[in-house]
Amino acid sequence: MTALETLPDADGRPELVVLRAIKLGDLLVAVPALRALRRAFPDHRITLATTAWLAPVVELVPAVDVHLAQHGLDHPIAVPAGTVDIAVNLHGAGPESSDLITALQPRRVIGHADPTRGYEGPEWRSDVHERDRWADLLTWHGVPADADDVSLARPAAPPVVADAAVVHVGAFHGARHWPTDRFADVVRGLRDRGADVVLTGGADDVVRARAVADAAGLAPGAVLAGSLELQDFAGVIAAARLVVTVDTGAAHLATAYGVPSVVLFGPAPPEAWGPPASGPHIVLTDASVRRGDVFAEDPDPAILAVGADDVLAAVDRLGVLAVTAQATDR
């Protein structure tokens, strides 16, 4: 699916436009809401206005018919006013997103309460999980949604690597970075347990990934950071035996594909962004020392409180790898 700059010509179906213009993890926590909209409005053309570079993953969301490129909130949604039947604000409850929704002049608006514009809806709450937030929003508007309905379609192409332990070393901000020497200790422990390990991350994470590989004795070919297109990355996660990652898009992909994961949290609370408590996922953090600045350049104390032994113990609790005598003697 290609991200389009303008809405295609009408195809006879009523138009439903959803605004959610953020990053990968933000898109994936909205998948339950998108799937609920598809069930409730099977005859509508559903257009998702979101970040253009997410196109390979948007293609894996069966609920979406059209991906409209929406680069933040500083320009209008490229849909002619008065042509939208239903507009859904899955972005937020602030004036910027509400202005974009209002400009569409839709027949019906699904969003949080906005008395200034006469929009009915639930009050915004800061103490709920993001998946629950959007599922609850739709349910309030008479569209039943299940916050655990997170599944994505698998990429059509065979995965670059399968049945590996995927260690994702990257994050957008330094506040979520975990030390490379600890990642290396985890990699060695995973190999002791019989796992084939690959390292993933974005283009900005290649140096970190190579440092982990060098310290852990991994071959250069195990470093996939910076070399995978987004859908190939999703395919590697979908085919993994295990994912070890900080709180980033890799964790949300593991949730979407039901892949066992160990997720390290720093500035963001897992109560708002973590995987389902039902598993197969384990969250590691220390909320008592959390600073909470998601844009800080240095790691949050909450993630630094997690050691490599903590991660390996969580892996053992998941039970997806064999624990060898060498591993138990560490």
Side-chain angles (χ1 to χ4, degrees):
M1 181 180 294
T2 302
L4 305 176
E5 293 299 326
T6 59
L7 189 71
D9 292 340
D11 64 2
R13 291 178 288 176
E15 304 285 356
L16 189 158
V17 174
V18 181
L19 175 63
R20 182 70 175 167
I22 326 183
K23 298 191 288 293
L24 177 58
D26 304 287
L27 168 64
L28 295 177
V29 295
V31 165
L34 293 168
R35 292 175 66 89
L37 289 168
R38 178 79 287 165
R39 289 192 299 271
F41 304 104
D43 298 326
H44 281 65
R45 181 169 72 169
I46 296 181
T47 294
L48 177 62
T50 194
T51 317
W53 65 266
L54 292 175
V57 172
V58 173
E59 185 177 331
L60 304 177
V61 183
V64 177
D65 298 311
V66 177
H67 177 187
L68 192 63
Q70 182 68 29
H71 307 285
L73 303 180
D74 59 355
H75 63 93
I77 301 171
V79 175
T83 63
V84 175
D85 183 43
I86 303 170
V88 184
N89 188 349
L90 295 185
H91 190 95
E96 295 89 352
S97 60
S98 290
D99 285 347
L100 296 186
I101 293 293
T102 300
L104 296 176
Q105 300 178 15
R107 181 188 64 82
R108 177 184 179 187
V109 171
I110 294 177
H112 285 84
D114 188 347
T116 64
R117 295 172 176 80
Y119 296 155
E120 295 184 346
E123 295 296 327
W124 181 273
R125 293 175 54 192
S126 60
D127 60 344
V128 296
H129 196 287
E130 284 295 300
R131 287 190 303 274
D132 293 318
R133 180 189 309 287
W134 306 116
D136 291 348
L137 170 68
L138 293 191
T139 300
W140 191 98
H141 282 277
V143 179
D146 178 0
D148 290 334
D149 188 13
V150 297
S151 62
L152 292 176
R154 289 174 176 262
V160 173
V161 62
D163 202 35
V166 176
V167 177
H168 188 80
V169 303
F172 273 110
H173 299 287
R176 302 185 189 196
H177 281 172
W178 200 50
T180 55
D181 60 332
R182 300 189 198 180
F183 271 124
D185 287 342
V186 167
V187 169
R188 284 191 290 268
L190 294 175
R191 297 180 75 192
D192 287 346
R193 288 157 172 78
D196 293 325
V197 180
V198 295
L199 304 177
T200 59
D204 294 337
D205 304 313
V206 174
V207 172
R208 284 173 54 80
R210 287 176 178 166
V212 172
D214 289 345
L218 275 182
V223 177
L224 303 182
S227 68
L228 298 176
E229 298 294 335
L230 191 53
Q231 199 167 111
D232 290 332
F233 175 52
V236 167
I237 297 291
R241 182 189 294 190
L242 167 74
V243 174
V244 176
T245 179
V246 301
D247 167 35
T248 188
H252 294 287
L253 285 169
T255 293
Y257 291 119
V259 175
S261 67
V262 178
V263 186
L264 285 63
F265 272 76
E271 294 80 10
W273 293 96
S278 57
H281 315 285
I282 294 177
V283 167
L284 299 176
T285 190
D286 186 348
S288 70
V289 295
R290 177 171 294 123
R291 182 178 55 209
D293 181 359
V294 297
F295 301 112
E297 290 303 315
D298 57 316
D300 193 282
I303 199 170
L304 291 179
V306 179
D309 288 344
D310 299 320
V311 174
L312 293 171
V315 169
D316 293 341
R317 293 201 301 276
L318 286 171
V320 294
L321 301 178
V323 181
T324 67
Q326 181 182 0
T328 56
D329 289 342
R330 290 181 66 86

